[in-house]
Amino acid sequence: MPIEIPKDKWPGAVRTVTLGATAADGGTRSHTVTVGGETALPFLHFEAEMPHRPVVAIEIVDRRPDDWSPLLLEAWDDVADDPAAWAQAAEEAGADLLQLTLSLTKNDGEPNTPDAAVAAVKSVLEASGLPLLVFGPGQAEVDNELLVAVANATRGERLVLGLCEDKNYRTIVAGAMANGHLVTARSPMDVNLAKQLNILINDMNMPLDRILMDPTTGALGYGIEYGYSAMERLRLAALQGDAMTQLPMVVTPGYEAWKTKEAKVDDDVPAEWGPWRERAINWETLTAMTLLESGADILILRHPESVRRIQAAIAELTAVPVAA
Amino acid sequence: MALSGIQIYKLLPQTNCKECGFPTCLAFAMKLAAKQVELTDCPHVSQESKNKLAESAAPPIRLVTLSANGRKVEAGNEVVLFRHEKTFYHKPGFFIRVRDDESAEAIREQVAPAAAYSVTYVGRELAPDGFAVHAVTGDPDAFAAAVQTVHDAADMPLILIAEDPQVMAAGLEAAPGERPLIYAAGAENWEAMANLANEHDAALAVRAPSLEELADLSQKLKEKGVENLVLDPGPRDFGDWLARSTQIRRLALKNFRPLGYPLIAFAGEGESWDGREPMMAAQAIAKYAGFIVFDHFAPEVMYPLLVLRENVYTDPQKPIQVQPGLYELNDPGPDDPLLVTTNFSITYFSVANEVEGAGLPAWLLVTDAEGMSVLTAWAAGNFDAERIAKDVKAFDVAGKVNHRRIVIPGHVAVISGELEEELPGWDVRVGPRESVDLPSFLKQALAQ
Ligand code: B12
Ligand code: SF4
């Protein structure tokens, strides 16, 4: 019997956002990365081609992150001591983007400084041509101080600066605007809160094609279902034409998954959890995979093996379809 | 899809005889549409109309149950495309595949650990659901022997995989008294497979190269009397599988009956690269599978996937909560430490498991935070100093512990001052942020 396949025709589309700038556009990146542009739900090729595939960023840190899981420190080994070397290793591991996290304190335990942050960012920019996201340590005052210095020192690179949250976004947005950078807007898993923050940032005259949104996610087993549904709802709203939700989504499955006991440690865990390394990598990849299905445009990961697997899945999901 | 009052009216005798207790057939039809009366209240409705009404009342995706000795797996009865629209109801069954070219010994070795496997997550026991026995030899005796071996080793529902109806028949004979799933009826063998399904009261999977052929075949099988059908969407690669399963779900929810059945996914088939199978299964969990067949069993894969299945199928309207109260971890005495947390299940179990796992005795005050995590509850005003102090009194904490020292989660360090004001005479200690660090905190910081 003939079947008419139900196809959604959406009035709206996700905006495209380009990260990084090459020399031609006033930056130093070897190439740029464009995300967004979807006119259908993820990977539904029978409705619309996905103009830009989802991409993977690898998180690196400006100093050896001693609180990270030993598995991660073992995987990255010596390069974790040097952000430039780490950036190169991440590029070799298959990253499309780099995400540099600035720490609260330096190696010597002293508070991080704008000069040190700028030096770290510059060394990463020299070591790798990939577009870069730079996140502060997550304390408003320190974030502002470090990120503004970084913004000023890297004018024209089209970095993504974050995280902008409702309680603290003005300074970061102003720094990014003045220097041709982008920002990422993080809100706690709620469509209206995400919209509200996007509006506030846009009201400062930051153009919408320079904002990414991070609807926040929980790890597998620790609230992923909330993030998953918030993302589905945001993407549906975007396709329905709600302008303030039409931003590409960036999520942090690496950070969330590696916080969990299942990934982080191997002491006193039940035998039913299975061998540590593979379990941890599954925790990160399955968290990421699920978010990919709900509309993530940028996934920030930590373990190189997870990156390999997620890239392979993205390749299959975005391949030209066999069946119509 | 439910019919409207007008649509129902057209199926009624339209004589307005009033025997149903309503003045007109239309009035009765309206009540019926609102589910306030039963169709049986009208004595004159025709059999044909009864059938039509029953058909329209059936769920858009049929509930299919596989069973074995009291254990069962149900799939279907789903009503939405996105979990936030309502919820997903029937978690996909997990089945582990074994092959009939292996020795009985080898099959037992594969079955035993999977059959015995069970893992605790937020106080629930999670486990895989059954086995898929695959006839790769083409020999009916070998298949029967393999089914028998699995059946004896594990009392769990089965999927039987064979092309040849004769081989399938041998397998079905070897697993009496169960409702297995036959995989699969295709263009060539469908009649014979339908007969087997009817004879053994088995469910039957359907496979076809295109959606059209799949629908045609499922209809033919239904006409042959097989009600419990399961559809194989066909593709084995990520993108096409997703497209197909989405198309089938959409059509089913639009009440296209020939595709209104649960789906089966084979996570281990398709292009092969390291780590692919769990990811394919993750996609199948989120995107509409009713049964998932695995080619490998490993705890480090099973555990995260069982958790993912739990998460995706949690009712978005009801966060899983525990009862507020004062909990005893490892039989604490009046001098043992007192911790406070919220009544969100994931939060409670992260803390309780950690402390219990380390064998440390402690009191855990679980406050009524409306089922929210520590920070969510704090941000929503459900886990502040006032609330904690109230529950300290409500659950008579002072009557159970001798000391006056309470440990709060590191994430809400900011409330320690206010809590000291709310609880005069108490010493408020800020614990670590993550529960993983609780045992060492309890051993060191509190010992001093
Ligand atoms: C899932 C989630 C939600 C879900 C709720 C889930 C639930 N039932 O609680 C939803 C989507 C509903 C939600 C809503 C909101 N959320 Co919310 N949410 C999250 C999220 C993503 C995960 C929370 C979670 O489940 N964590 C897992 C549990 C296990 O963690 P936990 O309870 O903290 O427990 C750990 C530790 O605290 C420790 N621990 C627990 N107890 C104890 C006890 C002791 C003694 C010790 C030592 C340790 C300890 O052990 C656990 C494991 O380590 C977080 C961000 C994130 N990724 O963490 C934001 C987050 C908590 N939410 C946040 C906010 C602001 C909100 C809202 C207020 C937003 C709004 N205005 O609507 C609402 C509030 C709810 C409302 N008004 O209805 C903020 C809080 C920010 C802040 N610091 O104030 C967060 C941090 C996101 C962010 N970065 O902005 N949220
Ligand atoms: S009993 Fe049946 S036929 Fe008579 S009025 Fe009611 S609905 Fe109409």
Side-chain angles (χ1 to χ4, degrees):
Chain A
M1 81 191 65
I3 292 179
E4 197 188 328
I5 291 175
K7 291 187 189 175
D8 287 325
K9 274 252 175 315
W10 300 102
V14 179
R15 285 172 177 277
T16 55
V17 171
T18 298
L19 289 74
T22 59
D25 293 310
T28 62
R29 304 302 74 214
S30 59
H31 61 280
T32 62
V33 168
T34 299
V35 292
E38 295 92 336
T39 54
L41 291 169
F43 314 115
L44 298 185
H45 303 284
F46 65 96
E47 279 183 1
E49 272 318 303
M50 216 177 182
H52 302 287
R53 69 176 186 89
V55 296
V56 174
I58 292 184
E59 180 178 0
I60 63 176
V61 187
D62 60 353
R63 58 167 286 196
R64 188 178 189 82
D66 293 318
D67 58 342
W68 278 25
S69 169
L71 277 180
L72 289 167
L73 296 175
E74 184 188 294
W76 293 110
D77 202 9
D78 287 348
V79 303
D81 292 319
D82 171 14
W86 199 346
Q88 275 170 354
E91 185 171 352
E92 278 158 28
D96 302 300
L97 301 167
L98 300 172
Q99 185 258 304
L100 174 68
T101 297
L102 302 173
S103 308
L104 209 48
T105 54
K106 294 187 288 185
N107 266 330
D108 54 13
E110 292 295 308
N112 205 346
T113 61
D115 286 348
V118 167
V121 170
K122 290 212 152 165
S123 76
V124 168
L125 289 173
E126 272 163 35
S128 162
L130 297 181
L132 177 67
L133 301 87
V134 182
F135 293 174
Q139 287 193 6
E141 276 163 37
V142 190
D143 282 6
N144 292 346
E145 195 189 9
L146 301 184
L147 291 172
V148 168
V150 167
N152 291 335
T154 56
R155 195 184 172 85
E157 290 282 11
R158 286 183 77 93
L159 305 184
V160 178
L161 302 178
L163 305 169
C164 296
E165 298 184 78
D166 63 346
K167 284 192 216 73
N168 186 52
Y169 64 93
R170 297 185 152 273
T171 310
I172 302 172
V173 173
M177 270 203 312
N179 295 288
H181 297 306
L182 289 63
V183 295
T184 178
R186 163 170 291 194
S187 50
M189 296 184 168
D190 180 276
V191 174
N192 291 323
L193 293 176
K195 273 176 74 168
Q196 217 172 66
L197 184 57
N198 298 342
I199 292 170
L200 290 171
I201 293 174
N202 185 230
D203 279 352
M204 286 180 69
N205 287 327
M206 177 61 107
L208 287 173
D209 64 0
R210 280 165 58 191
I211 310 176
L212 298 169
M213 63 178 173
D214 173 354
T216 309
T217 186
L220 174 59
Y222 296 84
I224 192 174
E225 65 273 32
Y226 295 96
Y228 179 81
S229 287
M231 287 168 72
E232 282 196 330
R233 298 177 67 170
L234 277 165
R235 183 51 51 87
L236 286 166
L239 295 174
Q240 278 153 4
D242 183 342
M244 286 299 160
T245 60
Q246 294 174 330
L247 306 176
M249 293 191 275
V250 52
V251 282
T252 55
Y255 168 78
E256 296 295 342
W258 286 97
K259 233 175 28 179
T260 68
K261 178 169 184 174
E262 282 82 350
K264 195 171 183 183
V265 299
D266 200 30
D267 296 333
D268 304 320
V269 308
E272 306 84 68
W273 286 14
W276 184 20
R277 179 177 183 276
E278 196 54 29
R279 178 216 317 150
I281 288 167
N282 278 326
W283 222 263
E284 184 175 32
T285 50
L286 298 184
T287 302
M289 185 70 205
T290 310
L291 302 178
L292 208 49
E293 302 282 356
S294 59
D297 294 282
I298 300 177
L299 296 158
I300 305 178
L301 300 176
R302 285 188 172 176
H303 199 286
E305 175 59 17
S306 305
V307 173
R308 191 189 61 74
R309 294 184 191 182
I310 289 293
Q311 290 286 31
I314 293 174
E316 270 195 51
L317 279 164
T318 52
V320 180
V322 181
Chain B
M1 198 66 62
L3 296 180
S4 70
I6 302 294
Q7 285 168 319
I8 294 174
Y9 171 70
K10 290 183 181 147
L11 296 172
L12 294 176
Q14 304 179 14
T15 54
N16 300 335
C17 78
K18 301 192 179 54
E19 280 175 51
C20 55
F22 292 89
T24 60
C25 294
L26 183 61
F28 179 71
M30 292 300 176
K31 288 285 170 190
L32 199 58
K35 297 201 168 69
Q36 290 164 348
V37 294
E38 295 291 329
L39 182 60
T40 48
D41 292 350
C42 168
H44 304 297
V45 65
S46 70
Q47 188 58 42
E48 194 194 342
S49 293
K50 272 189 198 156
N51 291 349
K52 280 195 182 145
L53 285 164
E55 172 94 341
S56 77
I61 299 173
R62 188 181 167 85
L63 185 71
V64 172
T65 306
L66 308 187
S67 59
N69 270 333
R71 288 187 71 158
K72 62 177 186 175
V73 195
E74 293 184 314
N77 252 358
E78 302 297 339
V79 296
V80 291
L81 273 174
F82 306 103
R83 58 186 292 281
H84 65 257
E85 294 175 311
K86 181 139 182 71
T87 185
F88 290 173
Y89 288 101
H90 293 99
K91 295 168 204 165
F94 287 3
F95 289 76
I96 319 296
R97 169 155 42 190
V98 296
R99 294 166 202 270
D100 73 348
D101 60 349
E102 308 254 18
S103 69
E105 187 61 24
I107 290 176
R108 271 193 292 272
E109 266 168 34
Q110 285 175 60
V111 169
Y117 186 80
S118 160
V119 62
T120 316
Y121 167 69
V122 296
R124 304 176 179 189
E125 285 302 316
L126 309 181
D129 302 281
F131 293 90
V133 190
H134 191 157
V136 292
T137 59
D139 171 11
D141 293 338
F143 190 49
V147 172
Q148 183 76 54
T149 307
V150 176
H151 181 68
D152 292 346
D155 249 348
M156 291 161 87
L158 297 180
I159 297 175
L160 304 186
I161 306 177
E163 291 282 322
D164 179 348
Q166 262 179 319
V167 176
M168 183 59 76
L172 287 163
E173 300 291 341
E178 308 189 351
R179 178 185 287 157
L181 171 64
I182 297 176
Y183 184 94
E188 308 291 316
N189 63 3
W190 67 272
E191 281 189 284
M193 288 298 196
N195 291 337
L196 287 174
N198 285 333
E199 204 178 307
H200 293 270
D201 186 29
L204 179 56
V206 193
R207 185 173 60 179
S210 71
L211 265 191
E212 283 79 6
E213 289 157 282
L214 194 62
D216 285 337
L217 200 49
S218 85
Q219 239 179 0
K220 283 196 263 185
L221 291 164
K222 189 167 179 222
E223 280 157 21
K224 273 226 138 205
V226 190
E227 299 277 355
N228 292 309
L229 298 175
V230 170
L231 308 176
D232 180 347
R236 294 294 186 258
D237 68 289
F238 277 87
D240 289 320
W241 198 90
L242 175 66
R244 263 303 152 65
S245 66
T246 305
Q247 292 166 352
I248 295 175
R249 179 72 152 243
R250 282 187 189 169
L251 284 159
L253 294 182
K254 285 180 189 292
N255 253 13
F256 182 65
R257 298 287 175 187
L259 296 179
Y261 299 99
L263 307 183
I264 186 168
F266 291 85
E269 293 184 5
E271 188 192 338
S272 137
W273 38 267
D274 240 15
R276 185 181 185 277
E277 186 171 1
M279 291 170 68
M280 192 68 187
Q283 170 170 285
I285 290 169
K287 293 295 172 181
Y288 318 136
F291 302 96
I292 302 176
V293 178
F294 292 87
D295 281 348
H296 303 91
F297 168 79
E300 65 275 21
V301 171
M302 207 30 67
Y303 174 44
L305 287 170
L306 286 165
V307 171
L308 180 61
R309 179 173 86 164
E310 228 32 43
N311 291 166
V312 170
Y313 278 75
T314 297
D315 185 343
Q317 267 71 49
K318 301 182 205 129
I320 34 176
Q321 309 190 8
V322 293
Q323 221 25 54
L326 185 62
Y327 285 69
E328 305 184 1
L329 307 178
N330 295 328
D331 261 328
D335 295 318
D336 284 318
L338 168 67
L339 315 172
V340 60
T341 190
T342 72
N343 69 327
F344 182 36
S345 276
I346 304 179
T347 301
Y348 166 80
F349 283 106
S350 327
V351 176
N353 289 348
E354 210 56 66
V355 177
E356 282 179 341
L360 299 165
W363 300 90
L364 180 59
L365 175 62
V366 176
T367 58
D368 181 3
E370 303 194 357
M372 291 183 183
S373 80
V374 167
L375 275 178
T376 311
W378 175 76
N382 288 326
F383 190 60
D384 53 13
E386 213 179 312
R387 181 77 63 124
I388 296 173
K390 196 174 134 253
D391 282 346
V392 165
K393 292 183 187 107
F395 298 115
D396 186 28
V397 176
K400 306 235 170 79
V401 299
N402 289 337
H403 58 80
R404 293 290 172 267
R405 191 170 61 194
I406 185 166
V407 181
I408 62 171
H411 280 299
V412 290
V414 290
I415 67 168
S416 64
E418 289 160 46
L419 188 56
E420 285 189 334
E421 280 171 33
E422 291 282 341
L423 290 173
W426 283 72
D427 173 13
V428 175
R429 295 283 180 97
V430 176
R433 289 168 158 253
E434 304 301 335
S435 54
V436 192
D437 302 318
L438 251 174
S440 59
F441 172 84
L442 288 175
K443 283 181 208 148
Q444 291 160 24
L446 283 185
Q448 290 154 16

